[in-house]
Amino acid sequence: MTDAYTKLMERVKDIGRLSCVEQLLDWDQQVYMPSGGANARAELSALIAGMAHEKLVADETGTLLGDVQTVEGDFVVETNMRETRRAFERASKVPTELVKEIAYTSALTKEAWAKAREESDFGKFAPHLEKLLDLKKQVAEHIGYETEAYDALMDEFEPGAEAAEIENVFSNLRSATVALLERLGSSTTKPDRSILTRHFPRAQQEVLSRRMSESLGFDYKSGRIDVTVHPFCTTIGGPSDIRITTRYMENFLSGALFGTLHETGHALYEQGLPAEHLFTPMGQYVSLGIHESQSRMWENLVGRSRPFWQCHWEQVKAMFPEALGDVSLDEFYGAINAVRPSFIRVEADELTYNMHIILRFEIERALFTGELAVVDIPAAWNDKMQELLGVTPPNDREGCLQDIHWSMGIFGYFPTYALGNLYAAQFFAKAKEDIPDLFERIAGNDHTPLLDWLRANIHQHGRRYRANELVEVVTGKPLSIAPFVDYATEKFSAIYGV
Ligand code: ZN
């Protein structure tokens, strides 16, 4: 390859390395840092974010981008050039001072959020959020957009996505969900979810989390699992150092169990990205929607399937004899799949989950058009919960303060969660076609056929394709809500006997 390309990639790798340092600081803040460290941590985060940004937008990056002669047909070079150019153009529009101010402000806002959430006091969080929202609005204006400011931010997480298009997808998804919820509501079968709120000792849950993640294929030589307030997965050094986090509640088994399966799904994607392209776009995930398709697939399409529990049930029952001793496999399978409107997104069932996303999407969009003010978020939140799910949270802790995203200045991210559910169902339908005995293998605790399929069809491509292209390449069709609706209809009709 040309000298200019090699030089450019060294630069890109340094930016990737700096971003890993930033992630390490964030991981530490969320897992280990004493709360007294917040101010100093904000300064460290701002410094690293500023360095990465300056390196990216430097004149030298622009010059090298212009100097590289691309050879047509080399998709590695094409991908790296396309994505580097995109990142450069996006970042060049945003002043470094603004990037640093956001990193600094969000590090402090995260702490304010954790405190406000603990005390269920939105008033304490609101001034911080207002500041951060204002900064992100400035970012959107700098980047520019065709229709609405929100698009400029969403593009960071799901390149090419537009709010108007997403609104369309969500509106169809909402109608299909409401129709299915009505059908299930007419059933006399009511799975008993309370089984999961019995007493589950934390020490046993920790053993279970580790065992489950290992059984899916998470490699602990290249990863860790730790405890945090808001579970996440992050990479510190590409596929060889992946950190997942979870949280344990002794009166709720699903939180850590399915949270761990979910984060393991993210981790398996990261561990499967091509290591030879470490720190360059070819070695990175496609989009957050695609990332989420991996976590939701393992959590739900595998982890909440009957074959999966056929295999794990006896072992789990033996681990929690007091809580599960009198429970049958069918009762447990019903409990983990009970459909019921609830307050907390991350604990929602597969069907109502998307409603939580639609709510956040609508609120975020209104914040960016100016139709909604930060102080009015709690009221808007509760109104929408009533409208979409028919329930009203008893307090803000279980309402608008539950998610960490806004405190990190992350707006436009939530839609990727519902997109992830849709991608997951579409990919999984294809995997089932390609692996006829997929469920028999899952029932035999053999997850390699699915993992190998994901590695070959999705992970190994890095960022070669955009999300919409990847879906077509893998499944032969553009993204559609149909596979998800078909999957949910078949599964929940059987459970509810309708
Ligand atoms: Zn996720």
Side-chain angles (χ1 to χ4, degrees):
M1 237 314 118
T2 62
D3 201 29
Y5 177 75
T6 310
K7 272 193 191 151
L8 180 64
M9 283 306 114
E10 255 329 297
R11 193 160 257 278
V12 165
K13 284 180 196 170
D14 275 348
I15 296 162
R17 289 167 187 135
L18 283 168
S19 133
C20 282
V21 173
E22 223 187 321
Q23 271 145 227
L24 177 59
L25 288 173
D26 178 63
W27 172 85
D28 174 73
Q29 178 169 9
Q30 294 194 52
V31 174
Y32 284 122
M33 191 193 79
S35 61
N39 286 316
R41 183 55 48 93
E43 287 177 28
L44 299 185
S45 299
L47 174 70
I48 301 294
M51 284 167 74
H53 186 77
E54 269 163 10
K55 210 163 180 68
L56 177 58
V57 303
D59 291 344
E60 208 183 332
T61 313
T63 310
L64 287 170
L65 274 167
D67 288 350
V68 175
Q69 309 283 333
T70 43
V71 189
E72 245 176 76
D74 185 336
F75 67 82
V76 172
V77 175
E78 280 170 3
T79 301
N80 283 336
M81 289 303 290
R82 182 193 73 215
E83 293 301 317
T84 303
R85 192 167 282 121
R86 171 187 142 80
F88 172 75
E89 283 168 3
R90 231 187 112 88
S92 299
K93 294 176 185 164
V94 186
T96 304
E97 276 317 303
L98 183 54
V99 173
K100 285 162 85 171
E101 201 180 347
I102 287 172
Y104 184 82
T105 309
S106 68
L108 291 180
T109 307
K110 258 188 283 184
E111 291 303 310
W113 164 77
K115 216 167 173 305
R117 179 181 171 273
E118 209 177 288
E119 296 166 17
S120 192
D121 185 350
F122 186 78
K124 282 198 174 137
F125 178 51
H128 295 273
L129 183 58
E130 255 161 29
K131 169 111 200 272
L132 202 47
L133 179 65
D134 176 59
L135 295 172
K136 295 303 280 197
K137 282 182 176 172
Q138 290 179 38
V139 169
E141 292 307 320
H142 282 296
I143 289 173
Y145 47 86
E146 272 176 28
T147 356
E148 53 186 285
Y150 189 66
D151 285 347
L153 297 179
M154 211 167 45
D155 186 67
E156 185 184 339
F157 310 114
E158 202 62 22
E162 284 176 5
E165 204 181 305
I166 300 230
E167 183 188 342
N168 211 6
V169 174
F170 283 1
S171 144
N172 294 333
L173 183 58
R174 182 179 170 170
S175 313
T177 304
V178 168
L180 186 51
L181 285 174
E182 273 172 15
R183 267 186 61 200
L184 303 184
S186 70
S187 164
T188 49
T189 309
K190 299 273 179 247
D192 179 13
R193 196 167 171 270
S194 72
I195 298 163
L196 304 170
T197 58
R198 292 175 177 177
H199 184 72
F200 296 90
R202 177 176 163 150
Q204 289 292 84
Q205 288 197 52
E206 286 181 18
V207 174
L208 180 62
S209 275
R210 187 169 171 117
R211 209 174 269 173
M212 284 293 183
S213 53
E214 267 172 337
S215 91
L216 298 191
F218 183 65
D219 177 5
Y220 275 90
K221 287 194 299 301
S222 302
R224 284 182 60 89
I225 182 165
D226 291 275
V227 176
T228 187
V229 179
H230 197 102
F232 63 95
C233 166
T234 197
T235 163
I236 311 292
S240 61
D241 189 358
I242 312 293
R243 313 289 173 93
I244 58 176
T245 59
T246 193
R247 60 177 167 200
Y248 298 100
M249 287 164 276
E250 294 210 308
N251 60 355
F252 189 47
L253 179 66
S254 296
L257 172 56
F258 291 103
T260 300
L261 294 180
H262 179 97
E263 300 307 335
T264 301
H266 281 304
L268 292 175
Y269 184 17
E270 290 285 343
Q271 287 183 336
L273 289 169
E276 67 272 29
H277 299 299
L278 182 62
F279 299 129
T280 68
M282 257 312 285
Q284 285 158 354
Y285 64 88
V286 177
S287 73
L288 288 171
I290 297 298
H291 224 307
E292 194 68 5
S293 76
Q294 303 303 290
S295 57
R296 301 295 282 179
M297 187 184 295
W298 289 106
E299 176 194 357
N300 292 329
L301 291 110
V302 176
R304 287 182 210 264
S305 72
R306 208 169 185 293
F308 184 81
W309 286 102
Q310 253 163 275
C311 162
H312 291 287
W313 172 239
E314 288 305 328
Q315 189 192 39
V316 171
K317 186 172 167 147
M319 286 179 80
F320 303 99
E322 269 181 47
L324 300 175
D326 63 342
V327 177
S328 71
L329 168 58
D330 277 335
E331 285 165 336
F332 183 77
Y333 175 63
I336 59 170
N337 285 298
V339 174
R340 197 187 65 173
S342 59
F343 306 127
I344 306 294
R345 172 183 62 87
V346 294
E347 288 158 15
D349 59 79
E350 286 175 80
L351 262 189
T352 58
Y353 183 93
N354 295 319
M355 297 301 216
H356 290 266
I357 299 308
I358 293 171
L359 174 148
R360 285 155 178 78
F361 170 66
E362 289 179 356
I363 287 185
E364 287 190 334
R365 230 176 146 193
L367 285 171
F368 276 85
T369 58
E371 282 163 64
L372 181 68
V374 166
V375 289
D376 297 325
I377 288 176
W381 186 284
N382 293 350
D383 286 352
K384 282 186 188 296
M385 279 298 284
Q386 195 49 246
E387 180 195 322
L388 286 156
L389 291 163
V391 293
T392 304
N395 52 49
D396 291 340
R397 182 191 159 93
E398 288 170 82
C400 62
L401 283 174
Q402 65 182 273
D403 292 308
I404 196 172
H405 305 63
W406 294 342
S407 79
M408 298 171 84
I410 295 172
F411 299 94
Y413 187 127
F414 282 119
T416 68
Y417 288 141
L419 290 175
N421 286 333
L422 302 178
Y423 290 134
Q426 193 158 334
F427 288 143
F428 196 73
K430 181 71 171 89
K432 271 202 306 188
E433 256 174 62
D434 293 351
I435 314 164
D437 63 344
L438 178 60
F439 275 125
E440 285 93 82
R441 303 289 285 270
I442 289 174
N445 199 21
D446 180 6
H447 299 296
T448 43
L450 180 60
L451 187 55
D452 289 348
W453 187 91
L454 292 170
R455 294 265 192 260
N457 287 284
I458 297 169
H459 304 175
Q460 63 135 349
H461 294 311
R463 199 167 279 182
R464 178 175 179 182
Y465 303 108
R466 284 278 154 80
N468 55 353
E469 292 168 347
L470 181 71
V471 176
E472 293 226 35
V473 167
V474 177
T475 71
K477 290 178 194 133
L479 177 69
S480 148
I481 67 163
F484 175 80
V485 174
D486 291 347
Y487 154 75
T489 304
E490 192 188 324
K491 174 174 177 175
F492 292 106
S493 300
I495 291 172
Y496 279 79
V498 289

